[in-house]
Amino acid sequence: MSNVTVIGAQWGDEGKGKIVDWLASRADVVVRFQGGHNAGHTLVVGEQVYKLSLLPSGLVRGKLGIIGNGVVVDPQALLAEIARVVAQGLPVSPDTLKIAENVPLILPVHGALDRAREAARGDRKIGTTGRGIGPAYEDKVARRAIRLCDLAEPETLDWKLDELLLHHNTLLAGHGAETFEKADLLAFLNDIAPKVLPYMAPVADLLEAERKGGSKILFEGAQAVMLDVDHGTYPFVTSSNTVASNAGTGSGMGPAAAGFVLGIAKAYTTRVGEGPFPSELFDETGRVLGERGHEFGTVTGRPRRCGWFDAVLVRHAVQVAGVNGLALTKLDVLDGLDEIRVCVGYDLDGETIRRFPAGPAAQSRVKPVYETLEGWKESTRGARSWAELPAQAIKYVRRIEELVEAPVTLLSTSPERDDTILVRDPFDS
């Protein structure tokens, strides 16, 4: 199978947008299979910069874009994003964008509950975006979600809203927050239905036809493995499974759909929001990494926490997500450093371990065990072949391969699409 699945191998913001855009030129279909508008990809195409949260990146390359059933969709955010990119000259229509008919919707009540809960947590806040993603996923598994197909059935919508508001208004009242009226939500949905229903399609059938026709399908993940609701730094995680095995479940295809799994990792580590971060730097080097890397969240605008490359957590991501190869990004940010450290293990209460502990208390206590490598003075920015890289930079990449037990398939040396060193084309695997 010539499919490729792209996932983050750290805590997100690894530069997936550029890699997905680069691969999309080789694909026929690009599919989003999980997450919501709490994640973002930045694509730089010539002089144009696209910031996408829900729309599949392949639309920028004129490829068919699909939003699978594993995504939770805020219809207002979707329409706003479509309007924004159309204003930039990117055509988006029901011919180029298909949304699964069974996709759950994010309603205003979900965002209100998300923000009320986060405020109530105080010092123990998770760091959510407050956009309602978690509550929408809760409704999905509790079987009370409003799905896209429900907008075409007024009688279904009526009784489903009764059940949904019975639950959410109770919780909102308990938090001292404003509750919602059924008539207001019903009016909101009836107004937005004719604007989003034209995009609705039987995505599972469509993808099966594409598979039988030999199409190359690119699955585009959001967030990253260390934010996976099962395998990440729980509870400081997102509300969906971000690993590659969810590509089939979140799109209506079988378990073999993922194909070649490409994990994206920065040459250092960043994180937005709360939660443990063993290799985080609070010194001048951390500040330099943040400034050079322009480390601000695509969606939130929050400054990212920066630290050395953590081989323990990336090896964990490689293992649980079935990563076949890595795309290593932002190597150029490390240019000019005298020495570079790599976290190769953790000290947990005096014992060295080489795995990420599951418990939050243990996660907060681990201290990084570093290996120090020699830096390089030459610039790697814009390099497009191994021959253009300094010897020490190549040694750094090779050492990462050894530590995470996965080969580097792609190497990115700037935000520009063509500043990429291709070791192995994932679609030819």
Side-chain angles (χ1 to χ4, degrees):
M1 180 178 287
S2 58
N3 295 351
V4 174
T5 299
V6 176
I7 59 171
Q10 293 162 315
W11 278 296
D13 300 307
E14 299 96 347
K16 291 189 293 295
K18 170 189 169 173
I19 302 299
V20 169
D21 174 56
W22 190 87
L23 290 169
S25 64
R26 293 157 168 76
D28 300 301
V29 184
V30 180
V31 184
R32 273 286 309 272
F33 63 88
Q34 52 78 217
H37 64 307
N38 57 337
H41 291 167
T42 300
L43 281 67
V44 181
V45 183
E47 298 298 318
Q48 196 70 265
V49 178
Y50 298 98
K51 292 184 180 293
L52 307 180
S53 292
L54 279 169
L55 295 177
S57 298
L59 290 171
V60 175
R61 293 292 163 192
K63 304 304 172 74
L64 177 63
I66 290 179
I67 296 177
N69 57 275
V71 180
V72 286
V73 173
D74 182 325
Q76 282 184 307
L78 173 69
L79 293 172
E81 188 171 326
I82 290 173
R84 186 174 69 250
V85 299
V86 167
Q88 292 181 270
L90 182 66
V92 179
S93 72
D95 293 326
T96 60
L97 174 66
K98 308 291 184 182
I99 305 176
E101 53 197 349
N102 52 341
V103 74
L105 299 181
I106 300 175
L107 307 182
V109 68
H110 293 125
L113 180 58
D114 198 359
R115 293 186 291 273
R117 283 176 170 170
E118 191 75 339
R121 290 187 180 106
D123 293 340
R124 294 186 178 275
K125 63 181 179 179
I126 293 173
T128 77
T129 58
R131 299 187 176 203
I133 281 79
Y137 273 116
E138 290 175 38
D139 281 354
K140 175 182 177 178
V141 297
R143 295 165 291 186
R144 60 173 168 261
I146 303 295
R147 304 192 299 174
L148 183 57
C149 56
D150 296 332
L151 300 188
E153 300 181 354
E155 67 279 10
T156 300
L157 203 55
D158 186 82
W159 68 260
K160 276 197 165 185
L161 278 175
D162 287 331
E163 182 179 355
L164 184 140
L165 286 176
L166 175 64
H167 175 80
H168 284 281
N169 277 342
T170 301
L171 292 175
L172 286 168
H175 283 291
E178 185 177 352
T179 57
F180 283 75
E181 295 292 334
K182 176 183 175 181
D184 293 336
L185 276 182
L186 190 57
F188 164 77
L189 291 172
N190 285 333
D191 175 68
I192 214 161
K195 302 172 186 176
V196 294
L197 282 176
Y199 295 97
M200 184 173 74
V203 159
D205 296 339
L206 191 156
L207 285 172
E208 177 63 7
E210 293 286 345
R211 184 191 69 81
K212 288 181 176 178
S215 293
K216 293 181 178 180
I217 302 173
L218 177 63
F219 292 97
E220 175 183 9
Q223 289 98 22
V225 175
M226 295 311 294
L227 292 174
D228 184 278
V229 70
D230 285 308
H231 303 292
T233 48
Y234 191 92
F236 301 98
V237 293
T238 193
S239 300
S240 60
N241 286 113
T242 61
V243 293
S245 54
N246 197 30
T249 305
S251 64
M253 298 188 75
F260 186 95
V261 180
L262 182 67
I264 316 297
K266 280 177 182 165
Y268 50 102
T269 309
T270 64
R271 178 168 197 168
V272 170
E274 308 299 321
F277 186 170
S279 65
E280 183 173 9
L281 294 171
F282 302 94
D283 58 7
E284 178 67 11
T285 301
R287 185 191 64 78
V288 167
L289 293 177
E291 288 184 354
R292 288 184 181 177
H294 305 289
E295 296 297 354
F296 296 91
T298 300
V299 170
T300 65
R302 291 180 291 185
R304 298 172 185 141
R305 301 152 63 190
C306 298
W308 295 120
F309 186 88
D310 190 330
V312 179
L313 72 85
V314 175
R315 186 172 64 247
H316 172 72
V318 166
Q319 175 186 325
V320 300
V323 170
N324 301 114
L326 283 181
L328 196 65
T329 66
K330 293 196 170 184
L331 182 68
D332 55 300
V333 174
L334 301 180
D335 291 351
L337 297 178
D338 293 329
E339 61 179 34
I340 300 170
R341 293 185 174 186
V342 178
C343 177
V344 297
Y346 303 133
D347 181 295
L348 179 59
D349 302 330
E351 177 188 357
T352 299
I353 61 173
R354 302 190 186 278
R355 60 176 179 82
F356 208 91
Q363 289 175 1
S364 67
R365 294 201 309 275
V366 296
K367 305 296 181 185
V369 175
Y370 286 121
E371 178 178 309
T372 301
L373 303 175
E374 183 181 347
W376 54 89
K377 296 299 182 185
E378 306 92 329
S379 173
T380 64
R381 190 172 181 85
R384 299 182 182 182
S385 70
W386 287 107
E388 298 177 60
L389 293 178
Q392 293 303 326
I394 295 175
K395 287 181 180 180
Y396 179 70
V397 174
R398 295 304 185 206
R399 184 56 179 146
I400 285 177
E401 290 180 317
E402 294 172 352
L403 290 168
V404 305
E405 301 175 8
V408 170
T409 302
L410 294 167
L411 190 62
S412 172
T413 56
S414 93
E416 296 299 325
R417 182 173 180 264
D418 292 330
D419 290 343
T420 304
I421 299 173
L422 174 64
V423 182
R424 175 185 180 189
D425 189 335
F427 276 117
D428 290 338
S429 301

